[in-house]
Amino acid sequence: MTPDLTIGQALAQAAEMLQRAAVGAPRLTAEVLLAHALGKDRSWIIAHSPDPLTELAWIHFGRYLHQRLEGVPTQYITRRQEFYGREFLVSPDVLIPRPETEHIVEAVVELVPRGRVLDVGTGSGAIAISIALETQTAVFASDVSLAAVRVARENARRLGAAVRFYCADLLSAAPAASFDVITCNPPYVPERDKPGIQREVRDHEPQVALWGGYDGMDVYRRLIPEAWRVLKPGGWLLMELGYSAVRPVTAMLNEWAGGEIRGDLAGLPRVAIARRP
Ligand SMILES: C[S@@+](CC[C@H](N)C(=O)[O-])C[C@H]1O[C@@H](n2cnc3c(N)ncnc32)[C@H](O)[C@@H]1O
């Protein structure tokens, strides 16, 4: 059975179906999924709108649409996400890197172009690999999830970044006074907010990457004192902030020097930067 549709008609039908199901950015989503089904980029499919859709592409496209309608994030279907201008592989074993997390990389590039950096909870490796490729630092990265470390390693290999990865619970494996910079985008969603979290995130991203205990603060509570031990004097701690973490984290950084909270492009407080005196 052939679809008997042009690329343009398939796109229009899919966009309508996604819109009816209240999927965000329906036209863009349809274009990305069809481009993935055809093994082309979006500009190609737009330019080839009058061409007939092959049966094989139609079958793949149908499967991807079904997954998306079931709530699977587009990035887990295409297995790709851009971060800091580079393409990273993602799988359901890692959080999909978010654009607001790029502010951590920006701050490290600005503050510490050299030295030893440790990215804790590296996930896809997005922060660690970007820092390794943008600075002269020696970058280490860890995660409690071995499956995540495997994805991060593969990203480093593909992007040609010299990052040393290992599996550990927070900073338990790091010697005292051994790093100039620690970066971390911790799991910070409060479990009490679970019912209100988007199903794409709640049901599909790794649970260990999302939940920060009842109030979202569990990892900050452990990480901040551990970072004090592991940083060299004068070393920097940079952490992404959850929406309810700004005040408690600021209080926890009371004895640190050079404390600063930076906002993201939407003006929301996003990165806490502190310096070990
Ligand atoms: C919010 S995700 C951040 C992933 C990646 N750094 C990014 O920004 O896209 C949090 C990461 O921390 C890891 N993680 C959670 N608890 C941890 C722990 N106790 N020790 C080390 N890593 C942990 C998770 O596996 C997950 O990869």
Side-chain angles (χ1 to χ4, degrees), residues 83 93-98 101-102 104 119-128 142-146 148-149 167-172 183-189 206-211 219 222 240:
F83 183 86
D93 288 322
V94 298
L95 188 96
I96 299 163
R98 308 296 206 266
T101 303
E102 294 181 353
I104 292 191
D119 179 41
V120 183
T122 198
S124 62
I127 298 173
S142 68
D143 203 291
V144 75
S145 155
L146 182 58
V149 168
C167 197
D169 178 26
L170 295 188
L171 293 165
S172 55
T183 57
C184 184
N185 174 18
Y188 57 61
V189 185
Q207 300 298 298
V208 68
L210 296 178
W211 312 113
V219 171
R222 291 177 53 215
E240 182 161 319

Side-chain angles (χ1 to χ4, degrees), residues 198-220:
Q198 232 189 335
R199 73 169 174 153
E200 278 83 353
V201 176
R202 188 192 58 215
D203 299 344
H204 295 278
E205 298 210 61
Q207 300 298 298
V208 68
L210 296 178
W211 312 113
Y214 181 73
D215 61 356
M217 294 299 300
D218 280 7
V219 171
Y220 297 108

Side-chain angles (χ1 to χ4, degrees), residues 39-50:
K40 305 286 186 191
D41 59 25
R42 274 177 59 223
S43 54
W44 188 93
I45 60 160
I46 293 163
H48 289 77
S49 179

Side-chain angles (χ1 to χ4, degrees), residues 142-158:
S142 68
D143 203 291
V144 75
S145 155
L146 182 58
V149 168
R150 289 202 176 110
V151 173
R153 250 193 208 124
E154 177 59 11
N155 275 319
R157 192 191 62 76
R158 287 165 59 107

